[in-house]
Structures are given as C-alpha cells and as structure tokens.
C-alpha cells in the first residue's frame, strides 16, 4: 500500500495540473518520498521545499525543486505557509496572479495531511498592497529574508526569558533618519559596514541583545545597520488603522507610508511578527499557542 505521503504528493500534483498552478509548495518534511518519486515528477510542475535554514536539499531533488528556508522555531502551519509565500514574493518566485498548491502537515505527526490552493494576490493579508511587486523595492531580498528569520526567532524565544517588542525599518534609510530622532547614543556608530551588516552571523546576538531597548533599528537596503534606539516621528492617524494594534504598529505603518521602507514589528504582548509596506499590513506571522 502506498504511504500517506506519496498519495498526498500525487494528489497535490494532480490538483496543480488541473488548476494550472505554477508551483507545488511543500511545507512538510516528505523529502524521502519525493526522492522516491523523483523520476516520475521531473515533468510535473515546479516544486518548492520549505525547510529549516540548516536543512539540506537531497541531491536527487536539486534539479527539480527549489528551497525556501524558514527560521528554526516553532511555527503554526499557516505561519510557515505565510513566511514561505512572503519570502517567495520577495525573492521573485511568486507574483500576483500565480496559483500555488501547498502540501502541509504537523511536524510531530510526520506525514502530510492537508492540501491548500492559494491564489497569490487574494489569499491572507499578505497582499493588501496595490502592487505586490514593490514590497521590497528598496531592500535586497536576502536582507529581507535574514531579517524576517531574526524577527521570528526573537518573537518565539524572547531574550533571556523576557518577551521582546521592537521595530526593524529596512531601506530608504536617509529619509527614515530625517523622519526620526535618536533616543540613545548610537550603539553602531564607528563600526565597519561588514561588522554591522545583518547578513553577518556574528551580529545576530548583538541585534537580539539590543532589541530590549526602546526605539527602532534603521537598516540600509544592503543590510548595514545605521542605528538602533530610534524614535519614528511619522505615524498614521489611529482612525485610519485597524483596531487592536499598538503604538509600534502605528509607527511602522506611518514610516512606511511616507518612505519606501519596509518595517517589521515584533509585538511584545502577542509575539506576532507583522510586516508593513506603503502604510499597509503586508503579512502577520502568528506565534504558536504554547
């Protein structure tokens, strides 16, 4: 008898062909079954495997599948899908109008149990902006992806058992600096660009440590941190903003409304990570209930 995973993979492929989907997004670990089916699926739709940062793509799948990495933290199944789609949009894998079939499951159960059909541009709150292609017009994809990973890790783990709330503003740094003011001495002043780039793994602990201070991080499009502890002056009128979100979210929406920047907010109260662009919510990654 065929395994559940093989049956689910074949069903996802069949659905993708019938609805003319461009990709099958695999958000559950079925790599062994995919390897077994590799010869049969070479002429199928494209496969995108959602895996942890440290996980490797099986050699036999290298020519027929791409990898999208997600942070190595506990995520809800919908949270994992949202991160994958957001990163896919930023990386140019997905665009408005694309159709995706997603295979999902609960990691502890060890098998795929759900198939989702996703129309990019209609699903979730990911794509509320009028033109999704400008979501990261001022930020390099690898910088967006690295920052999203760090934000999700901070939201999930906190810092020294304390919940963390902060804002990361990416891109259009000169205008962001004009529309903000320093609250503390700039902890990054005087360091080389390489030493203060978020793509440098050695900087991650410093970012997490400084996330406890008030104010926002301002980051260049190439990942170099300009400063931390910055008060953002631009804010949307609260009547124009969805109910239930706090001052950090209003500040993030405001600064992205008047600049080309992208802002990521970690909610101290909920542990959710929200991304803003053009003054609007791009995506919210919910923290799993413990």
């Amino acid at each position: 008898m065929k395994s559940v995973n093989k049956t689910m993979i074949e069903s996802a492929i069949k659905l993708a062909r019938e609805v003319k989907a461009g990709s099958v997004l695999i958000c559950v670990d079925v790599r062994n079954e995919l390897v077994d089916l590799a010869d049969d699926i070479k002429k199928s739709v494209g496969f995108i495997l959602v895996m942890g940062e440290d996980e490797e793509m099986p050699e036999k799948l290298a020519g027929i599948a791409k990898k999208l990495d997600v942070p190595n933290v506990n995520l809800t199944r919908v949270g994992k899908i949202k991160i994958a789609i957001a990163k896919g949009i930023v990386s140019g894998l997905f665009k408005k109008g694309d159709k995706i079939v997603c295979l999902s499951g609960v990691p502890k159960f060890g098998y795929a149990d759900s198939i989702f059909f996703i129309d990019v541009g209609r699903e979730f709150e990911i794509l509320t902006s009028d033109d999704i292609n400008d979501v990261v017009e001022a930020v390099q994809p690898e910088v967006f992806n690295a920052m999203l990973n760090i934000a999700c890790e901070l939201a999930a783990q906190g810092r020294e058992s304390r919940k963390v709330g902060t804002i990361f503003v990416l891109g259009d740094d000169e205008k962001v600096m004009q529309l903000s003011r320093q609250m503390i001495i700039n902890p990054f002043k005087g360091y080389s660009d390489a030493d203060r780039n978020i793509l440098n793994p050695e900087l991650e602990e410093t970012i997490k440590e400084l996330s406890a201070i008030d104010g926002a991080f301002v980051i260049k499009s190439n990942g170099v941190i300009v400063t931390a502890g910055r008060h953002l002056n631009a804010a949307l009128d609260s009547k124009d903003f969805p109910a239930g979100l706090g001052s950090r979210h209003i500040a993030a929406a405001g600064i992205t409304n008047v600049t080309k920047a992208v802002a990521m907010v970690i909610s101290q109260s909920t542990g959710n990570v929200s991304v803003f662009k053009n003054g609007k919510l791009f995506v919210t990654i919910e923290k799993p209930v413990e």
Side-chain angles (χ1 to χ4, degrees), residues 15-237:
L15 177 59
R17 286 171 174 163
E18 290 180 356
V19 300
K20 295 181 171 56
S23 303
V24 175
L25 191 66
I26 307 291
C27 292
V28 62
D29 188 2
V30 293
R31 282 174 287 177
N32 291 336
E33 289 82 2
L34 280 172
V35 168
D36 292 341
L37 292 169
D39 292 334
D40 297 329
I41 64 178
K42 282 183 178 177
K43 296 181 180 179
S44 301
V45 294
F47 281 81
I48 299 174
L49 274 59
V50 180
M51 299 189 291
E53 297 173 88
D54 301 328
E55 294 181 295
E56 294 184 2
M57 175 83 74
E59 187 176 342
K60 196 169 182 180
L61 297 179
I64 58 176
K66 297 178 181 178
K67 177 186 175 182
L68 269 175
D69 68 87
V70 293
N72 295 316
V73 296
N74 187 27
L75 295 165
T76 65
R77 75 166 71 204
V78 175
K80 182 179 285 189
I81 292 170
K82 284 182 174 183
I83 289 178
I85 294 176
K87 286 190 169 188
I89 290 167
V90 170
S91 302
L93 292 175
F94 309 136
K95 61 183 184 302
K96 192 171 184 176
D98 282 355
K99 295 178 174 62
I100 303 168
V101 171
C102 178
L103 190 63
S104 183
V106 179
K108 66 180 180 181
F109 295 153
Y111 59 84
D113 61 13
S114 304
I115 297 175
F116 297 85
F117 169 74
I118 298 168
D119 185 338
V120 177
R122 288 188 172 183
E123 298 291 336
F124 309 121
E125 72 275 28
I126 278 179
L127 306 171
T128 53
S129 62
D130 295 329
D131 182 3
I132 66 172
N133 295 321
D134 75 351
V135 169
V136 286
E137 61 183 344
V139 185
Q140 295 176 9
E142 60 270 25
V143 171
F144 178 95
N145 292 341
M147 193 72 260
L148 185 58
N149 284 356
I150 292 172
C152 288
E153 289 171 7
L154 260 174
Q157 301 164 356
R159 190 64 182 166
E160 295 179 353
S161 301
R162 299 192 309 270
K163 292 182 178 179
V164 168
T166 193
I167 306 174
F168 301 100
V169 184
L170 312 174
D172 206 1
D173 57 287
E174 291 185 6
K175 192 167 184 181
V176 171
M177 292 294 284
Q178 292 172 9
L179 296 171
S180 60
R181 59 181 173 81
Q182 197 67 30
M183 299 167 63
I184 62 169
I185 294 174
N186 182 0
F188 293 98
K189 187 174 182 179
Y191 290 90
S192 70
D193 285 2
D195 287 338
R196 54 193 174 104
N197 193 305
I198 66 166
L199 299 178
N200 179 355
E202 296 180 1
L203 188 63
E204 189 168 324
E205 284 302 308
T206 299
I207 294 171
K208 291 180 177 179
E209 188 67 29
L210 292 174
S211 66
I213 66 176
D214 288 335
F217 290 77
V218 179
I219 303 166
K220 293 184 178 184
S221 62
N222 63 359
V224 173
I225 300 178
V226 179
T227 187
R230 197 82 177 170
H231 176 79
L232 305 175
N233 297 332
L236 290 180
D237 193 310

Side-chain angles (χ1 to χ4, degrees), residues 179 234-236 241 248-259 276 279:
L179 296 171
L236 290 180
F241 204 66
R248 284 192 181 93
H249 297 84
I250 293 172
I255 200 69
T256 64
N257 191 49
V258 294
T259 69
F276 292 88

